[in-house]
Amino acid sequence: MRSWFIFAALLVWFSCAGCISMGGVINSTGNSSSPSQQPQQRNFSAPPGISIPRSDGTQLLSELQSGAQLTIQWQLMDVPPLDASAGLLWLMAVATVVAGSLWCGSDYAVELKGWGCVSTPEDPRHGSGGSSSSHGGGGMEILEITMKGAIGFVVVSSAMLLLLYFFLSKVFFYVILVGFACAGAQALGVMLLPVLCKALPRLASTSVSLPWGWGEVGVLELLLTPVALATAVVWAVFRNAGWSWVLQDILGIAIMLLVLRTLRLPNLRVACVLLPLCFFYDIFWVFLQPMLTGGGTSVMVEVAGGGDSHEFLPMLLRVPRLSGPPIIRGSYSLLGFGDVILPGLLVALMRRIDISMAAAHSSEGVQAKKAGCCAHGGYFVPTVMGYGAGLLLTYVALMFSWFGDQGQPVSWLRGWVADLGMLGASADGNCMLGKA
């Protein structure tokens, strides 16, 4: 094992997990890394600095204050470039996209049954210009992204990024924390309600009257509300605990499923505007902005790290590292919500196109139930495969550091992979929700 003793060094301890080299020059006098050979000798041309976890720092401080003599051993460790946690993130992302698209398609099949006709690109129910909203087949308010909305999304996202960069503090972070917890609790209740309705059909149609004139509410909704709120509150209070990532991912997946169910791309024209714009938005704020501002940290990376609040923003999935030296297992593999939602919108669009095309070719016209069962042989499966392949390509890029160690514009890459595949598949232009 390659190790050596340090006689002059700087140790800095703070709240982050893991160790980070903070300075000092290490000159190697040996080339061998074979375990069977002698340890390499290292010479330091400057006193090295390294950060250590807070728990280790407090323990060292207490030992020193008690008058103990301490010798610190510094050891280099090989960190695997890719951890098994990335595979779990990949599975969660793909499963969320598939589940959200199927949920959206199920609502759309009910809508078709209610309309009693097959929707066409010219149908006013699928607006292509201004903003449009309606009630979906599941009773949820549906919002369609328009061309102006796609452009406005990138502009507003850039403005919000700068706002968070300059003003993100502990107070601002708690505002975001409360908003995420409330949204997560609501989304979790909406996600679990259909499951309970299927499991307990007798209670699904039962309601009770609330006091003080609050009206009536379903029994299952009344039972789910405290469970969803308790989940969100427990996560918010214990968000820094080692097990809190499970609750954060549950709340995050619930939010993303609700977004994929209620937010829709009306046609491929809007998709071909939104996804490329987001692609270049990510490239600019991750790579170009540091170059234009004379180097330094990317605004997006800084905001994702929590800024002055020193806490990660909760709008991401996280899984702790499952392999490597024990000292790095307190770190996490991360995946932002945008890397799931934006490609997922395109996948959901393909699912609705498949359902409409199946209904159009059915002998009885629009039969929503039959259409929903027959919509497996169209564009949906290839698009899911394109998303999964794009996500795997991202991990390969991170493994070999093709674009450095900065955050990768992966969601838009995945969107491009799926989008290009569907543009090729839809060359005939006979898409139900708008011609590409």
Side-chain angles (χ1 to χ4, degrees):
M1 184 177 294
R2 299 173 295 178
S3 61
W4 58 94
F5 292 94
I6 301 171
F7 299 97
L10 172 67
L11 291 177
V12 180
W13 56 274
F14 59 107
S15 301
C16 296
C19 294
I20 304 173
S21 176
M22 301 180 66
V25 181
I26 303 177
N27 297 322
S28 174
T29 59
N31 307 346
S32 173
S33 59
S34 172
S36 62
Q37 298 184 2
Q38 294 297 322
Q40 299 182 26
Q41 301 296 321
R42 307 275 175 158
N43 296 321
F44 294 93
S45 61
I50 188 171
S51 69
I52 60 177
R54 183 182 181 89
S55 57
D56 295 341
T58 54
Q59 182 179 355
L60 286 174
L61 188 60
S62 62
E63 294 286 345
L64 289 173
Q65 290 175 344
S66 65
Q69 296 281 336
L70 297 178
T71 301
I72 300 175
Q73 188 178 23
W74 191 355
Q75 177 184 357
L76 288 177
M77 295 183 179
D78 293 327
V79 179
L82 193 63
D83 185 75
S85 58
L88 184 55
L89 275 178
W90 182 90
L91 184 61
M92 287 194 298
V94 174
T96 301
V97 167
V98 171
S101 301
L102 294 176
W103 200 1
C104 177
S106 177
D107 287 349
Y108 183 72
V110 175
E111 294 172 28
L112 287 182
K113 184 178 180 180
W115 293 337
C117 62
V118 179
S119 178
T120 64
E122 292 76 21
D123 197 316
R125 287 178 291 239
H126 298 286
S128 59
S131 160
S132 64
S133 63
S134 60
H135 286 280
M140 300 292 296
E141 185 77 15
I142 302 300
L143 179 64
E144 288 189 343
I145 303 175
T146 63
M147 198 73 72
K148 294 179 180 178
I151 299 173
F153 171 79
V154 177
V155 175
V156 172
S157 296
S158 298
M160 286 298 299
L161 193 63
L162 291 174
L163 180 67
L164 291 173
Y165 179 75
F166 287 110
F167 299 103
L168 183 59
S169 61
K170 203 70 174 179
V171 176
F172 205 164
F173 170 79
Y174 281 121
V175 173
I176 297 174
L177 183 73
V178 171
F180 176 82
C182 293
Q186 181 183 12
L188 185 61
V190 173
M191 182 181 70
L192 294 178
L193 184 59
V195 178
L196 283 185
C197 288
K198 291 288 186 181
L200 304 170
R202 293 184 179 180
L203 294 179
S205 58
T206 306
S207 61
V208 295
S209 298
L210 297 177
W212 303 299
W214 286 4
E216 292 188 351
V217 64
V219 173
L220 295 181
E221 295 178 80
L222 196 61
L223 294 175
L224 277 176
T225 299
V227 175
L229 287 176
T231 302
V233 170
V234 169
W235 168 80
V237 174
F238 299 100
R239 65 186 179 278
N240 293 320
W243 46 266
S244 64
W245 65 272
V246 177
L247 296 182
Q248 178 172 328
D249 289 350
I250 291 174
L251 294 174
I253 289 174
I255 291 174
M256 289 188 288
L257 287 175
L258 185 60
V259 171
L260 291 176
R261 183 187 183 188
T262 57
L263 190 63
R264 295 181 179 178
L265 289 170
N267 49 55
L268 282 177
R269 285 194 298 268
V270 177
C272 290
V273 171
L274 177 64
L275 294 178
L277 282 178
C278 291
F279 178 76
F280 291 113
Y281 160 87
D282 220 3
I283 288 179
F284 176 81
W285 288 112
V286 172
F287 299 106
L288 299 182
Q289 172 265 315
M291 297 170 56
L292 296 176
T293 55
T297 306
S298 161
V299 169
M300 182 174 290
V301 174
E302 182 72 17
V303 170
D308 293 336
S309 68
H310 303 295
E311 293 198 52
F312 278 103
L313 296 181
M315 285 80 73
L316 47 81
L317 299 174
R318 59 177 180 143
V319 177
R321 293 184 66 95
L322 305 175
S323 61
I327 198 168
I328 70 167
R329 293 183 187 172
S331 58
Y332 291 86
S333 297
L334 307 175
L335 186 66
F337 285 0
D339 300 331
V340 180
I341 292 175
L342 284 156
L345 292 174
L346 178 64
V347 177
L349 171 64
M350 296 302 110
R351 174 64 180 173
R352 300 200 312 274
I353 288 177
D354 286 352
I355 290 176
S356 181
M357 292 179 65
H361 288 85
S362 66
S363 58
E364 299 295 330
V366 179
Q367 298 179 11
K369 183 177 179 180
K370 181 179 178 181
C373 296
C374 298
H376 61 276
Y379 302 138
F380 173 66
V381 173
T383 313
V384 172
M385 294 174 63
Y387 173 70
L391 186 51
L392 289 177
L393 183 60
T394 299
Y395 291 143
V396 173
L398 290 173
M399 180 186 300
F400 294 102
S401 299
W402 287 347
F403 304 100
D405 296 326
Q406 304 180 66
Q408 306 296 325
V410 292
S411 65
W412 326 135
L413 174 61
R414 295 175 212 133
W416 268 106
V417 169
D419 203 8
L420 290 175
M422 292 322 302
L423 283 175
S426 304
D428 57 359
N430 294 324
C431 293
M432 170 275 301
L433 296 175
K435 299 180 181 178

